[in-house]
Amino acid sequence: MNLRPADLPELRAELVRHMASHRGRHQLGRFDGTKLTTGASLVGTIRSGDLQTEEVRRLSHAELFYVSPEMTDLTIAASDSLPFFALNREDLPSEHGLMVFAKPVVLYPNEDGRPEAQIRACCWMVADHGAVWLSFYSDWHAWLEESRTAGAFQPETVDESLQNDHWLCFETFVCGPLAKRRDIEGEWEEEAQEVGTLDNAVRAAWLLMQQPLARIEDLEPDRATRKRLRRLGHEPAPVRLIGLRRPRATAGQGEGSREYQHQWIVRGHWRQQWYPKRQVHRPVWIAPHIKGPEGAPVIGGEKVNVWKR
């Protein structure tokens, strides 16, 4: 699905309408009776009707974020090595949001050998019980087409779903604590390992978009889009476009006064940085770059393409 940042206000309006429908309720039925926990603490049991009501509320109040293709690529690369940290309210870009990626950010496995779900969006909201709720949406239409190719469904069943279902499908959810306490952090760490790449991808995106390597632009809907949204009963909302800044050229010499005769590659990695104002450590992404004098041979003989302003 080719998606532009400007499409997000209408996408959200269409998704709200779909999730409030009978087909949306049916989509959520598989979660009926699921135990809801935050770490090791039982919160309650999910009822699909309540889940539908709450999800429509989350989507309706969400601030809109669009992650560019380059920023999505960085999120994918960085999320694999993201160290665990206890999530605080200040780590979230907003209290509630809908973040849509320009391309699949995670491939989520399915049972019975069916095609993997391509995760394209996450909706979140800070919950009343000191936790944050995350809903993950996959590209339903892409999955249907792959299933058709694999012969998993009858062609007429696929065609009917393609015609009547929104292209984003509620795939799964995570509910984790917002706390600094080490006991909460410890019990959630085990849960987070089970969730795996879904939770890591969103945490990585949240951290990366708050660092200088991110370029953030606020886009307002055009006049025609505003009119269409008001006809659908939605107030027009801006979209926050999260892009990637081009890296600056690195210095010709190494650290200190020592002169080097070669260049070498510093691979992208996370580094723990202390924030005195918040009294917390947070992972900061150190982008891949080349160190050493310009024009000198690269150790290892690797070919490297360097962005320059």
Side-chain angles (χ1 to χ4, degrees), residues 61-271:
H61 290 85
E63 294 185 35
L64 301 175
F65 298 84
Y66 176 88
V67 184
S68 73
E70 297 82 8
M71 200 68 186
T72 301
D73 287 337
L74 178 58
T75 299
I76 294 168
S79 62
D80 286 343
S81 58
L82 178 67
F84 172 78
F85 63 95
L87 199 65
N88 295 164
R89 213 175 268 257
E90 295 85 355
D91 296 314
L92 278 63
S94 66
E95 292 280 298
H96 33 74
L98 174 64
M99 182 165 57
V100 182
F101 295 90
K103 58 176 74 173
V105 68
V106 174
L107 294 180
Y108 189 65
N110 272 299
E111 298 177 355
D112 305 325
R114 292 181 176 179
E116 295 173 306
Q118 302 176 15
I119 301 299
R120 289 288 302 271
C122 176
C123 178
W124 71 87
M125 179 175 279
V126 176
D128 296 334
H129 42 74
V132 59
W133 176 284
L134 300 95
S135 303
F136 294 95
Y137 286 82
S138 63
D139 189 331
W140 176 237
H141 287 188
W143 187 85
L144 286 169
E145 292 292 1
E146 287 188 33
S147 299
R148 186 210 298 270
T149 302
F153 297 105
Q154 294 294 327
E156 54 270 20
T157 301
V158 173
D159 291 337
E160 193 266 345
S161 288
L162 288 172
Q163 182 177 352
N164 295 294
D165 290 334
H166 194 274
W167 71 272
L168 284 177
C169 172
F170 188 102
E171 188 66 36
T172 189
F173 65 88
V174 176
C175 193
L178 284 170
K180 296 180 181 178
R181 288 166 39 200
R182 293 296 305 178
D183 58 332
I184 295 286
E185 179 178 337
E187 68 183 35
W188 173 239
E189 185 167 8
E190 182 177 350
E191 181 107 345
Q193 289 172 354
E194 296 176 7
V195 175
T197 53
L198 288 174
D199 184 64
N200 266 9
V202 174
R203 286 172 174 242
W206 285 344
L207 289 175
L208 291 169
M209 71 172 60
Q210 297 180 55
Q211 295 180 21
L213 55 81
R215 184 187 73 252
I216 302 176
E217 302 175 52
D218 286 333
L219 306 177
E220 295 288 343
D222 59 32
R223 184 176 179 182
T225 301
R226 291 197 298 269
K227 286 184 176 180
R228 289 194 298 270
L229 286 169
R230 290 194 173 106
R231 283 198 295 268
L232 290 169
H234 293 263
E235 276 302 306
V239 178
R240 188 154 291 180
L241 170 60
I242 312 298
L244 184 65
R245 294 185 189 276
R246 291 183 180 272
R248 296 181 180 275
T250 57
Q253 291 187 338
E255 298 177 357
S257 60
R258 181 178 177 183
E259 294 187 5
Y260 292 89
Q261 305 302 316
H262 295 84
Q263 296 186 79
W264 67 97
I265 301 169
V266 178
R267 300 189 182 278
H269 60 281
W270 292 100
R271 183 180 66 197

Side-chain angles (χ1 to χ4, degrees), residues 286-308:
I286 308 302
H289 58 281
I290 294 180
K291 296 192 74 171
E294 188 173 351
V298 177
I299 295 175
E302 299 182 52
K303 179 181 179 181
V304 181
N305 296 310
V306 181
W307 274 341
K308 293 187 177 179

